[in-house]
Amino acid sequence: MLVLVAALALATAARAEGPWPMTVTDAVGREVTIPARPKAILLGSGFNLVALSLIHPDPVSLLAGWSGDMKGDNPEIYESFRRKFPAIADVPQIDDGTGPGLSFETLLTVKADLALLNNWQSDTESGKRAIEYLTGIGVPVIVVDFNNDALTGTPRMMRLLGQIFEREEQAEAFARFYEDKLALIRSRIAAKPEPRPLVLMDAFPQADRCCWAYGTGGLGEFLTMAGGRNIAEGVLPRPGGTVNAEAIMAANPDIYIATSSPGGKYGTLSIGPESAKTRRVRRSPAPSKRRRSRASAPCRKSAFTDFGTSSTPSRSTSSPPRPSPPGSGRTSSAISTRRRALTKSTNVSPRCHSRAATGWI
């Protein structure tokens, strides 16, 4: 009897301890050992709270500190979390979400047992220093990547988070749902092999530039998987890059897609149910009947076929750069001068060029 009681006690203790310590491989191939169940984590990007919310009923209760990028870049998403989890307003901010903005002063004051950093943060000098510092004081650092190879990486990262937080069932449910929907889309696209449309996917369009096109990575993967031909394929780096108006008119894409987010601060667009209340899209007056046929005529293609590209974004290798602050970049007079010059050189109407130059084509 005593032997049986002892065996039951040992089994109960083993179940309580769970799989700890746990060794996992993160997104960049680092083997990381987590000594105990995480209860106080640092989020290098606030947007990873969305991933945690898919597998945990109260993800905010896990936070010891987090980045301010969600609150600053997507206030509507942040407000949704704040309404359901008011405690989020009191979570210390450790970063502005850029990578170089990691605050070592704040890291010194918070008590955490695990840190989650994004891959683009871990590549920065401050990110590398943060990993070295945190591991040095006994806080394991896991690097996650929901950007590169998003089609396969997303379910893999969700399964990794499920393993770390002992929410494997919930993580597997989402990963299976995700993979099943991708398989359904692929099967339907394969069944209709008609000519695929040429597509420009413009990341967070701005009034003073044209345009940051997604490459074949990141969101560009979804474009291709859904049956589109990416205008940037074979021309821009995998993450994407800047494309000038002349190149777009020369390529003559069939479809233009502008990306944005609810209350997003990156571009001039905001999407979601609250967008009509918080933003107003400026529209030109409707053309008169006399001018309607000319105004609605398609833009003429130019002979300019070279893509003007910029260096890859500094914030992330798979995301568009942050918008320039007010007053920086080209002035309105410089934009007008450039539009007149391009209109003359490409033989298109001012209206058509204006649409291309602002990303609205």
Side-chain angles (χ1 to χ4, degrees), residues 109-171:
T109 63
V110 296
K111 294 183 178 180
D113 50 29
L114 180 68
L116 298 179
L117 294 185
N118 274 8
N119 61 305
W120 48 266
Q121 289 175 311
S122 67
D123 289 338
T124 65
E125 187 60 34
S126 61
K128 294 175 182 177
R129 287 169 50 216
I131 292 176
E132 182 179 359
Y133 168 76
L134 290 168
T135 54
I137 62 173
V139 178
V141 179
I142 299 293
V143 177
V144 296
D145 183 2
F146 287 95
N147 301 319
N148 297 313
D149 300 316
L151 296 179
T152 57
T154 297
R156 185 171 68 249
M157 289 299 100
M158 291 302 298
R159 289 184 172 110
L160 174 62
L161 293 177
Q163 179 183 359
I164 292 171
F165 294 101
E166 296 185 280
R167 308 287 294 182
E168 291 94 340
E169 182 179 348
Q170 292 80 3

Side-chain angles (χ1 to χ4, degrees), residues 151-198:
L151 296 179
T152 57
T154 297
R156 185 171 68 249
M157 289 299 100
M158 291 302 298
R159 289 184 172 110
L160 174 62
L161 293 177
Q163 179 183 359
I164 292 171
F165 294 101
E166 296 185 280
R167 308 287 294 182
E168 291 94 340
E169 182 179 348
Q170 292 80 3
E172 185 63 27
F174 175 83
R176 285 287 181 88
F177 171 83
Y178 186 93
E179 291 168 336
D180 289 347
K181 295 303 180 183
L182 291 183
L184 176 63
I185 294 171
R186 288 190 177 106
S187 66
R188 290 180 175 178
I189 294 299
K192 296 183 178 181
E194 65 265 15
R196 300 183 300 160
L198 185 64

Side-chain angles (χ1 to χ4, degrees), residues 26-316:
D26 70 6
V28 293
R30 299 165 56 251
E31 284 198 354
V32 182
T33 298
I34 306 170
R37 180 184 294 109
K39 297 179 181 179
I41 67 173
L42 302 174
L43 282 187
S45 171
F47 290 104
N48 287 332
L49 187 64
V50 176
L52 291 178
S53 71
L54 293 171
I55 61 174
H56 196 283
D58 186 2
V60 173
S61 67
L62 298 173
L63 301 184
W66 76 323
S67 168
D69 54 348
M70 177 196 286
K71 185 176 181 179
D73 296 342
N74 287 271
E76 289 189 13
I77 296 178
Y78 170 78
E79 281 301 314
S80 295
F81 274 101
R82 189 191 61 78
R83 285 193 294 269
K84 187 167 184 178
F85 307 107
I88 197 173
D90 300 320
V91 177
Q93 183 173 318
I94 62 170
D95 185 15
D96 60 5
T98 63
L102 281 168
S103 170
F104 282 87
E105 291 80 3
T106 306
L107 290 179
L108 288 169
T109 63
V110 296
K111 294 183 178 180
D113 50 29
L114 180 68
L116 298 179
L117 294 185
N118 274 8
N119 61 305
W120 48 266
Q121 289 175 311
S122 67
D123 289 338
T124 65
E125 187 60 34
S126 61
K128 294 175 182 177
R129 287 169 50 216
I131 292 176
E132 182 179 359
Y133 168 76
L134 290 168
T135 54
I137 62 173
V139 178
V141 179
I142 299 293
V143 177
V144 296
D145 183 2
F146 287 95
N147 301 319
N148 297 313
D149 300 316
L151 296 179
T152 57
T154 297
R156 185 171 68 249
M157 289 299 100
M158 291 302 298
R159 289 184 172 110
L160 174 62
L161 293 177
Q163 179 183 359
I164 292 171
F165 294 101
E166 296 185 280
R167 308 287 294 182
E168 291 94 340
E169 182 179 348
Q170 292 80 3
E172 185 63 27
F174 175 83
R176 285 287 181 88
F177 171 83
Y178 186 93
E179 291 168 336
D180 289 347
K181 295 303 180 183
L182 291 183
L184 176 63
I185 294 171
R186 288 190 177 106
S187 66
R188 290 180 175 178
I189 294 299
K192 296 183 178 181
E194 65 265 15
R196 300 183 300 160
L198 185 64
V199 183
L200 166 64
M201 184 180 288
D202 186 12
F204 304 102
Q206 301 288 328
D208 63 346
R209 67 166 175 82
C210 176
C211 303
W212 206 97
Y214 279 102
T216 56
L219 281 181
E221 292 186 65
F222 293 89
L223 190 160
T224 304
M225 184 269 299
R229 290 183 295 126
N230 193 336
I231 191 175
E233 185 172 357
V235 181
L236 295 177
R238 178 177 168 79
T242 302
V243 183
N244 57 39
E246 304 99 306
I248 293 174
M249 289 184 286
N252 195 23
D254 302 303
I255 296 174
Y256 169 80
I257 300 174
T259 68
S260 188
S261 55
K265 297 296 183 66
Y266 284 128
T268 54
L269 281 179
S270 178
I271 60 174
E274 298 297 318
S275 297
K277 300 177 183 178
T278 59
R279 296 261 179 132
R280 291 292 183 269
V281 179
R282 287 182 292 181
R283 300 179 182 273
S284 301
S288 64
K289 292 182 178 180
R290 183 177 179 181
R291 297 175 54 200
R292 190 178 302 276
S293 60
R294 178 184 176 187
S296 58
C299 300
R300 184 179 302 175
K301 294 170 61 176
S302 80
F304 191 90
T305 57
D306 185 28
F307 278 69
T309 63
S310 66
S311 59
T312 53
S314 59
R315 182 180 185 219
S316 167

